[in-house]
């Protein structure tokens, strides 16, 4: 069981991204023939034959708009996979999503004003849950950390957000 909650992209944001992404482009859905794309709407890998879309997403910008933070130059946008249509969402999880042992992740720490406070490289151990729990506990031990973004090192893609409890 995980200690922290991995947050999927929220449904209202997904509805907007399915019309126009954060780069201003319309979504272009396609059938994923192979499966395995990390879906940020439900925090699982796509299955062969599912309709998905690759959209540009600015997670810190969206969080800042909701909280009044001013991330300035720390605002980033990048590609994320989502279901082309509304899905069931993430449901309840026993493990952290996209946690393949041996894969590299960076856990970026952000302050309440949206500025980067540092980060940590994590080679996902086996079992992955303990490694993520430890890395996230380190991050939130700093009282200035408001949220953590978990990103893939290989492509720099945003995977999910974890907020202070």
């Amino acid at each position: 069981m995980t200690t922290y909650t991995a947050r999927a992209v929220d449904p209202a944001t997904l509805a907007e991204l399915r019309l126009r992404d954060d780069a201003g482009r319309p979504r272009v859905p396609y059938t994923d023939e192979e499966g395995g794309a990390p879906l940020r709407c439900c925090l699982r890998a796509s299955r062969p034959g599912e309709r998905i879309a690759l959209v540009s997403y600015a997670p810190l910008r969206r969080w800042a708009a909701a909280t009044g933070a001013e991330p300035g130059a720390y605002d980033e946008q990048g590609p994320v996979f989502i279901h082309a249509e509304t899905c069931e969402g993430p449901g309840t999880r026993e493990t952290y999503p996209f946690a393949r042992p041996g894969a590299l992740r960076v856990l970026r720490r952000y302050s309440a004003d949206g500025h980067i406070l540092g980060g940590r490289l994590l080679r996902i151990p086996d079992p992955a849950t303990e490694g993520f729990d430890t890395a996230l506990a380190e991050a939130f031990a700093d009282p200035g950390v408001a949220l953590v973004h978990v990103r893939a090192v290989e492509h720099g893609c945003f995977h999910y957000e974890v907020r202070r409890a």
Side-chain angles (χ1 to χ4, degrees):
M1 188 68 161
T2 60
T3 302
Y4 299 91
T5 302
R7 298 171 59 100
V9 177
D10 73 83
T13 298
L14 289 166
E16 293 173 7
L17 293 172
R18 287 184 180 114
L19 295 174
R20 193 161 294 282
D21 71 13
D22 286 344
R25 290 185 294 271
R27 123 194 106 103
V28 179
Y30 67 96
T31 301
D32 184 1
E33 300 296 338
E34 296 178 17
L39 298 166
R40 285 22 171 256
C41 48
C42 53
L43 299 180
R44 67 165 175 82
S46 63
R47 297 179 187 111
E50 286 188 298
R51 297 281 294 161
I52 65 174
L54 182 61
V55 298
S56 184
Y57 175 54
L60 193 60
R61 181 183 315 159
R62 297 246 179 199
W63 173 81
T67 63
E70 294 287 340
Y74 295 105
D75 178 30
E76 296 179 78
Q77 69 184 35
V80 295
F81 291 99
I82 62 173
H83 275 113
E85 303 299 331
T86 303
C87 70
E88 72 279 2
T92 313
R93 304 192 61 84
E94 297 270 325
T95 60
Y96 292 99
F98 320 122
R100 187 181 81 254
L104 294 173
R105 298 291 181 260
V106 64
L107 283 70
R108 277 199 206 146
R109 304 167 184 181
Y110 292 92
S111 66
D113 61 3
H115 294 182
I116 293 176
L117 294 178
R120 182 187 195 284
L121 182 65
L122 174 67
R123 180 176 300 279
I124 300 174
D126 192 7
T129 300
E130 293 173 17
F132 273 103
D133 280 347
T134 298
L136 289 164
E138 287 173 10
F140 289 116
D142 177 345
V145 172
L147 68 144
V148 174
H149 284 180
V150 176
R151 293 177 173 265
V153 172
E154 301 89 344
H155 301 288
C157 298
F158 170 84
H159 275 254
Y160 55 87
E161 177 179 290
V162 178
R163 294 185 186 177
R164 181 174 291 285

